[in-house]
């Protein structure tokens, strides 16, 4: 099985009237994220392909006027970076630059990043989660996945167990909800794993215009993954709070993903505009690492405190509306961080 990366390049940019695209500091300010947090969380990032360049990180953080991260590379099951210039390099750049950038914006400090290079297999993904937790990572970001129907019961159980062991060690695991709408690339309604695992925080996607108003709100990104698991039951912390459905609801939270409102990153020395729910997992990994250490399974606390979010009520991903595929919504600045103070 080959897992997919959830990064998108825009086919067109948004209509005139928006200041495009988003830089990371502007995005953090637009969500009202506070600064001066003590931080301390170590961020793990799992990659199943691609390569990274320190020069790209230096350029991105210099331009953002933020301290660059310290990055340690770890091989899992023989996994290695590929030769530079491949299509997955943008995935790696987005993951590292956004996780470390959000953390640096909120703390004023350099992020500690541990990148786990894994073969593109189900077994290696689980091993990567276990390695990150064993190494003491406080958050783990995963921007790779595939439809539940493609995993099968054995691997879904194994993957959720790997995330469960990580949670027991205090590690918060988050994953992109996918970029293929409500069918997730299959012939019927399906959600993406690992985001569908109850031990993982599922991160869906929005379209966030700069010139937001009542008539031009933040909406569901129409290609975001989202829906209900056909394998995992709805967890107790979603029951009675999330829209009722036949299984675990994807997603728990949302953030900007639509490539037409684009995110600036640096890849191979060049400024690129990208999107996808690949932006959301590292966004929350940096956000939660800035909030504290060893937070573990945060979903129950988040679902118990909807005031920490701004709900996404407009739009759908082809079938499911915002309260399903964006869950609680997008972070409500200081109200979110106050949950962990």
């Amino acid at each position: 099985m080959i897992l997919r990366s959830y990064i998108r390049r825009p086919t067109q940019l948004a209509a005139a009237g928006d200041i495009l695209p988003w830089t990371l500091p502007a995005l953090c300010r637009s969500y009202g994220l506070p600064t001066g947090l003590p931080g301390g969380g170590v961020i793990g990032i799992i990659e199943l392909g691609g390569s990274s360049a320190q020069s790209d990180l230096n350029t991105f953080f210099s331009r953002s006027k933020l301290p660059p991260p310290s990055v340690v590379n770890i091989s899992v099951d023989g996994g290695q970076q590929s030769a530079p210039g491949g299509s997955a390099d943008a995935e790696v750049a987005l993951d590292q630059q956004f996780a470390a950038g959000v953390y640096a914006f909120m703390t004023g400090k350099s992020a500690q990043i541990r990148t786990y290079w894994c073969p593109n297999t189900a077994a290696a993904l689980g091993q990567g989660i276990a390695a990150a937790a064993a190494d003491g990572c406080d958050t783990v970001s995963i921007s790779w996945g595939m439809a539940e129907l493609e995993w099968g019961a054995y691997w879904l159980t194994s993957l959720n167990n790997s995330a469960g062991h990580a949670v027991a060690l205090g590690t918060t695991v988050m994953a992109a909800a996918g970029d293929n709408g409500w069918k997730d690339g299959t012939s019927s309604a399906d959600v993406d794993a690992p985001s569908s695992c109850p031990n993982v925080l599922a991160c869906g996607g929005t379209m966030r215009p700069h010139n937001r108003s009542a008539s031009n709100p933040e909406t569901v990104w129409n290609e975001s993954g989202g829906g209900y698991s056909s394998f995992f039951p709805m967890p107790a912390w979603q029951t009675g709070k999330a829209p009722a459905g036949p299984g675990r609801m994807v997603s728990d939270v949302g953030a900007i993903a639509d490539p037409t409102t684009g995110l600036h990153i640096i890849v191979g020395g060049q400024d690129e505009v990208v999107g996808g729910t690949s932006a959301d997992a590292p966004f929350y990994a940096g956000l939660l690492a800035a909030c504290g250490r060893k937070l573990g399974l945060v979903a129950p606390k988040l679902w118990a405190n909807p005031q920490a979010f701004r709900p996404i009520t407009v739009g759908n991903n082809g079938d499911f509306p915002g309260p399903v595929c964006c869950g609680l919504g997008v972070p409500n600045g200081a109200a979110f961080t106050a949950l962990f103070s």
Side-chain angles (χ1 to χ4, degrees):
M1 59 178 69
I2 302 296
L3 283 74
R4 297 181 289 271
S5 162
Y6 292 125
I7 189 169
R8 287 287 189 92
R9 289 175 169 84
T11 56
Q12 63 181 25
L13 293 179
D18 279 338
I19 303 170
L20 291 168
W22 287 96
T23 65
L24 182 134
L27 181 66
C28 291
R29 286 191 292 268
S30 80
Y31 280 128
L33 300 186
T35 59
L37 272 67
V42 178
I43 303 168
I45 299 175
I46 294 180
E47 301 293 358
L48 308 184
S51 65
S52 65
Q54 184 63 46
S55 58
D56 287 347
L57 289 169
N58 294 342
T59 300
F60 179 87
F61 283 88
S62 175
R63 184 187 65 184
S64 302
K65 296 181 173 57
L66 295 170
S70 168
V71 179
V72 177
N73 294 299
I74 300 101
S75 172
V76 175
D77 195 26
Q80 299 290 338
Q81 299 188 51
S82 56
S87 61
D89 288 0
E91 175 63 69
V92 178
L94 176 59
D95 289 344
Q96 292 181 338
Q97 291 167 25
F98 263 68
V102 171
Y103 179 92
F105 178 89
M106 296 178 69
T107 66
K109 303 172 184 177
S110 296
Q112 303 297 307
I113 300 288
R114 298 178 68 87
T115 305
Y116 294 83
W117 300 96
C118 305
N120 194 326
T121 67
L125 177 58
Q127 291 168 15
I129 295 170
D135 287 345
C137 291
D138 297 284
T139 62
V140 173
S141 174
I142 306 169
S143 291
W144 302 74
M146 59 187 180
E148 276 192 341
L149 292 175
E150 298 176 88
W151 284 90
Y154 174 84
W155 287 114
L156 286 170
T157 301
S158 176
L159 188 60
N160 191 52
N161 287 343
S162 295
H165 291 312
V167 165
L169 294 175
T171 301
T172 305
V173 183
M174 54 223 72
D179 293 357
N180 299 294
W182 67 286
K183 294 183 179 180
D184 201 31
T186 67
S187 60
S188 60
D190 203 359
V191 292
D192 202 83
S195 67
S196 69
C197 295
N199 288 317
V200 174
L201 186 71
C203 304
T206 72
M207 190 283 285
R208 184 173 179 83
H210 285 260
N211 57 344
R212 293 179 306 285
S213 66
S215 60
N216 189 35
E218 186 167 9
T219 68
V220 178
W221 177 39
N222 60 4
E223 296 187 69
S224 174
Y228 294 93
S229 173
S230 60
F231 183 78
F232 297 109
M234 181 171 279
W237 36 265
Q238 279 188 334
T239 302
K241 301 178 178 68
R248 188 268 200 267
M249 193 187 83
V250 176
S251 295
D252 298 304
V253 295
I256 186 171
D258 189 340
T260 64
T261 47
L263 305 162
H264 273 298
I265 61 171
I266 302 295
V267 186
Q270 302 299 312
D271 191 325
E272 287 201 28
V273 176
V274 297
T277 56
S278 281
D280 303 330
F283 177 87
Y284 277 97
L287 174 55
L288 288 165
C291 289
R293 301 204 65 196
K294 303 301 176 226
L295 301 178
L297 185 67
V298 299
K301 176 176 282 193
L302 299 183
W303 279 99
N305 291 278
Q307 77 281 358
F309 294 86
R310 299 188 187 279
I312 302 299
T313 59
V314 178
N316 61 73
N317 68 347
D319 191 10
F320 297 104
V324 174
C325 48
C326 293
L328 288 156
V330 299
N332 186 13
F336 182 99
T337 58
L339 297 180
F340 305 99
S341 62

